[in-house]
Amino acid sequence: LKSLRRKGKPTRRKYPVTMGMMLEVQRMLHDTTPEAAAARVAADVAPADVPAVWAGIVVAFLFLLRGGEWLCHDGRGYDTAKVVLGAGVAAFHKGKRVDAFGQADELALELRASKTDQYNTGTWRNHFHTRDSPVCPLQAMAALQRAHPERFGAGSESLKPLFRRARGGPVLASQVRTLLERAALALHEPRQAVDPVVPEQQPPQPS
């Protein structure tokens, strides 16, 4: 086995995306400082694209989505069997369905298919308001809904992928990679370790 390891390609360790990195990405996308603006330019994120990019990153982080479930890998199209649709999200307040995410305290998300769903029957997952943190799925979805109401409910684009840029183009893995790499560098994390596909949560550390 040791001989095979020596002859094979070295293992590339995958590091998790931390909450600190998420906060740094939030700052880069929303701040008006020259450093934040430069980060957006480097990632090719226009101001009008910010709601979709940030909402996608937050939802992927909190719901542990795979890349194909919300964005496009460069040079490929959407995975149409798996990608989250506008009709595949729902807002609730105290257990009752509401139209506006700005009034909601709970987000429900439909996963139509996944690697672990052997029968492709789909499932729904829920997440609640994180009131004391900017990394909040309800806040992010409310901003996206204000920018693109046609993507939600019975809107004209509700059957299309939800996390699209302002002009309809997909959010790309390379854009997310650039943002996460810059966040890692700002926090002195190992840049080469960032996996751009899914911003996977860091497991809690024992106290």
Side-chain angles (χ1 to χ4, degrees):
L1 289 177
K2 291 182 179 179
S3 176
L4 290 174
R5 291 194 189 100
R6 284 196 299 269
K7 294 177 181 179
K9 294 182 180 179
T11 301
R12 181 177 180 271
R13 181 181 175 186
K14 292 184 179 181
Y15 289 65
V17 172
T18 66
M19 182 59 73
M21 291 171 64
M22 291 292 291
L23 293 172
E24 184 64 21
V25 170
Q26 193 271 345
R27 185 193 67 78
M28 289 189 295
L29 288 175
H30 295 92
D31 276 9
T32 57
T33 62
E35 294 80 7
R40 291 192 294 272
V41 170
D44 190 26
V45 177
D49 297 334
V50 168
V53 173
W54 177 238
I57 291 174
V58 170
V59 169
F61 179 74
L62 295 175
F63 283 86
L64 301 176
L65 299 186
R66 296 175 181 272
E69 292 171 330
W70 74 281
L71 52 63
C72 272
H73 295 275
D74 295 47
R76 308 181 201 171
Y78 281 109
D79 187 336
T80 55
K82 296 180 180 179
V83 67
V84 173
L85 305 179
V89 293
F92 294 86
H93 178 70
K94 295 183 178 180
K96 295 183 179 180
R97 182 79 177 262
V98 295
D99 294 329
F101 280 91
Q103 301 171 353
D105 57 14
E106 180 183 355
L107 163 65
L109 177 78
E110 182 186 22
L111 298 180
R112 297 185 295 137
S114 72
K115 190 175 182 179
T116 58
D117 182 5
Q118 297 183 9
Y119 298 103
N120 288 325
T121 56
T123 187
W124 284 79
R125 294 182 184 171
N126 296 56
H127 211 291
F128 291 86
H129 204 299
T130 53
R131 300 184 186 281
D132 298 326
S133 171
V135 184
C136 173
L138 275 302
Q139 293 178 23
M141 292 296 286
L144 180 57
Q145 188 177 43
R146 288 192 297 269
H148 300 287
E150 70 281 358
R151 299 182 185 181
F152 293 83
S156 60
E157 297 185 6
S158 64
L159 297 181
K160 295 181 179 181
L162 176 59
F163 302 112
R164 290 175 292 121
R165 290 183 282 177
R167 294 186 178 183
V171 176
L172 300 175
S174 60
Q175 294 177 293
V176 179
R177 177 191 297 116
T178 299
L179 292 170
L180 293 178
E181 284 180 348
R182 283 179 168 256
L185 286 173
L187 298 173
H188 307 291
E189 299 282 354
R191 173 180 176 177
Q192 71 277 11
V194 173
D195 186 333
V197 177
V198 181
E200 179 182 341
Q201 292 187 55
Q202 184 183 47
Q205 300 297 318
S207 56

